[in-house]
Amino acid sequence: MEAKARTESKARNFPCAACGADVLWDPSAASLKCPYCGAVRALPASAATLVEHPIDEALRAPREVGWGAARKAVKCGRCGAVTTFAVGVSAAACAFCGASAVIESPLNATMVRPEGLLAFAVDRNNAVGKFRTWISGLWFRPNALKSQSSVTGMSGVYVPYWTFDAATRSAWTAEAGFHYQVQVQAVENGQTVMRSETRTRWEPAEGMLDRLFDDVAVEASKGLTRSLAESIEPFPTAALVPYEPAYLAGFLAEEYALGVHDAVAIARQRMADEIRAACAAAVPGDTYRDLEVHTDYAGVSYKNALLPIWIAAYQYAGKPYRFLVNGVTGKVAGEAPYSWVKITLAVLAALVLLAVFSSLKN
């Protein structure tokens, strides 16, 4: 029987000791900072430690629920993301897609509380600068993109993730191909000539592969596509600290939209893809075929954490696009429209050059 989750602890606010205003997390200072008087307060180091949970405990282990601080939530009518923020702050648009169709939503009272967190280390000005640099360096994009793309919001969001560990042992079999050259007769322009031809000798091959996986991250976000989220990985999860609500001061935090059992299936597929690629690389010879991989998983464990991402939802020609900045490493990725006029002109120019080169050669 599933154990009953612990009740949410009393919500807390974070007032400035000097003037009483609510303090915010300042990435550049790596501390809480008052936006009014500038007073800085460091967060004390937590005595708590992060632990990995065996996957079979996912349903029966009791967990604290909720955020542990006063927050309210809105749900986006376009992408469905549920974003939370401090009481007293209003949201006019979705941080993930820029849609203005956001409605207040009740907090998920049964949401498992995050266990770990990576605090923002990249500040807003740095993130905005990265967006401008990125958009200025794009190729084959509309000329008006730089001037007409309007940033509807550069939001700092703590995005929910699950991370997984596993020890794997894989047995693989394949046919290894070894290329060799033979001389064969051919007729060219009415004359018999000798030419080289590549052939392949096939031999059976097999092997074993042991691989340890540590903190394979799976985003539990409703607002981000998996491919876009993965494009700013990795996060330095070895530096995760125990969750403390004060880190969220001044930032948005998305509710978990993916459970641990769905997440572990995604993680196992990512592990399987990596294992298959490693087994393919271990096949001797020049090529291979009929690769089969059988993998045993042991010690599968998990934890949940919030990871920091700056998100710019910008509009161009009435369509939303997104740009992401890893809030710790500064790695960037984004979506932008293509200019098919520029692409067509480039293709035509390449064809003209190819025709000119062919005529000169002949």
Side-chain angles (χ1 to χ4, degrees), residues 76 78-83 94-98 120 155-161 218-233 235 253-258 266 307-313 321-327 333-335:
C76 176
R78 177 189 286 164
C79 70
V82 177
T83 310
C94 175
F96 292 96
C97 68
F120 273 92
S155 301
V157 184
Y158 281 104
V159 175
Y161 274 77
V218 176
E219 78 288 346
S221 172
K222 184 80 171 181
L224 293 180
T225 62
R226 182 152 299 121
S227 59
L228 189 58
E230 289 177 1
S231 62
I232 60 167
E233 292 180 7
F235 286 86
E254 186 187 6
E255 289 187 355
Y256 275 79
L258 187 71
I266 296 170
L307 303 184
I309 300 177
W310 286 103
I311 304 172
Y321 297 90
R322 281 169 295 189
F323 170 77
L324 307 183
V325 181
N326 185 311
E335 303 166 330

Side-chain angles (χ1 to χ4, degrees), residues 4 11 17 24 33 41 95 100 114 144 200 210 240 273 280-281 289 295 306 312-313 319 338 351:
K4 184 177 180 181
L24 307 175
K33 186 174 182 179
R41 174 161 65 95
S100 57
T200 304
D210 292 329
L240 281 167
D273 291 343
R289 67 185 181 188
T295 300
L306 298 177
K319 185 177 179 180
Y338 282 96
L351 292 174

Side-chain angles (χ1 to χ4, degrees), residues 170-183:
S170 303
W172 61 265
T173 60
E175 286 192 78
F178 299 83
H179 295 327
Y180 62 96
Q181 303 294 316
V182 296
Q183 296 296 312

